[in-house]
Amino acid sequence: VFALRRDNRLLATALVALEGGLPDGLADQVYGGHRRVRGHLIPQSLLAHGGISGAGACRGARVMRITVHPVLQGRGLGSRLLQAVVAHARQRGLDWIGTSFGVSPALLGFWRRNGLEPVRIGVNREASSGSHAVLMLKPLNEAGEALYRRARGRFLERFPDQLAETLQDLEPELVLPLLRRAP
């Protein structure tokens, strides 16, 4: 748990989970669809759904939740807290920082402004949010960069076909932002 405080008052918090570093045999089972691993959402998703072999070996920090006091939102405090999370992840030698959430234009914009890019979108809407889940990554070193490039490339390669098939109902205001910064 990360917290941003001022004068002993809580301004923002972030809940972060360490993920990855899966043993090869376990990662192979996840990749083959034979096993699921609790607490490793991003590596598991990239292995099983993204088809990215080796995604389980990289270690990262997944931001599960980030909240800013409602009165203080829009002042950059969430971004400031996220910068602290990134700095901590780098100090620990992690390969990536990531997140997954029910996508909306505002949330997508926040994470993009903080250097994360979409690498996967779920084909079904989540029951809790009614939105498609998007998975976003930011590489922190060479290993993270290699994983990011493979995952981002796979996403950009598949996304147009998904729009014609499984993502036909995706809101138009999300399509262009998801493709932004694509080659």
Side-chain angles (χ1 to χ4, degrees):
V1 175
F2 289 78
L4 182 61
R5 297 176 181 272
R6 179 182 234 176
D7 299 328
N8 211 22
R9 292 187 352 212
L10 185 61
L11 307 178
T13 61
L15 180 60
V16 179
L18 296 176
E19 296 187 347
L22 302 177
D24 289 341
L26 179 58
D28 291 343
Q29 290 178 342
V30 173
Y31 179 78
H34 306 292
R35 182 111 184 253
R36 293 182 60 102
V37 182
R38 290 184 62 100
H40 294 274
L41 176 80
I42 290 176
Q44 181 166 278
S45 181
L46 293 177
L47 284 164
H49 304 294
I52 311 283
S53 63
C58 288
R59 297 177 324 121
R62 176 172 56 99
V63 180
M64 297 169 57
R65 297 279 184 271
I66 187 165
T67 60
V68 175
H69 190 285
V71 173
L72 302 173
Q73 290 177 356
R75 299 181 185 185
L77 297 176
S79 294
R80 190 167 146 198
L81 181 59
L82 192 53
Q83 289 170 0
V85 172
V86 169
H88 183 77
R90 278 197 171 109
Q91 288 173 347
R92 291 193 65 163
L94 299 180
D95 303 308
W96 53 263
I97 185 161
T99 191
S100 180
F101 56 90
V103 69
S104 71
L107 286 174
L108 187 60
F110 168 79
W111 289 102
R112 275 219 148 117
R113 285 189 301 279
N114 285 284
L116 285 84
E117 289 294 327
V119 295
R120 185 173 185 284
I121 187 164
V123 295
N124 297 311
R125 292 184 181 273
E126 294 182 321
S128 59
S129 69
S131 301
H132 291 273
V134 67
L135 192 150
M136 299 181 78
L137 282 182
K138 175 180 183 166
L140 301 179
N141 59 26
E142 286 183 29
E145 182 69 31
L147 174 64
Y148 166 80
R149 286 183 189 271
R150 288 181 66 201
R152 180 77 171 147
R154 180 80 44 97
F155 168 73
L156 292 172
E157 178 184 296
R158 290 179 173 178
F159 191 56
D161 290 333
Q162 288 178 308
L163 289 172
E165 296 170 3
T166 56
L167 292 174
Q168 289 180 24
D169 67 339
L170 188 65
E171 293 82 355
E173 62 269 15
L174 290 171
V175 174
L176 286 177
L178 284 167
L179 287 171
R180 195 164 290 134
R181 298 186 188 129

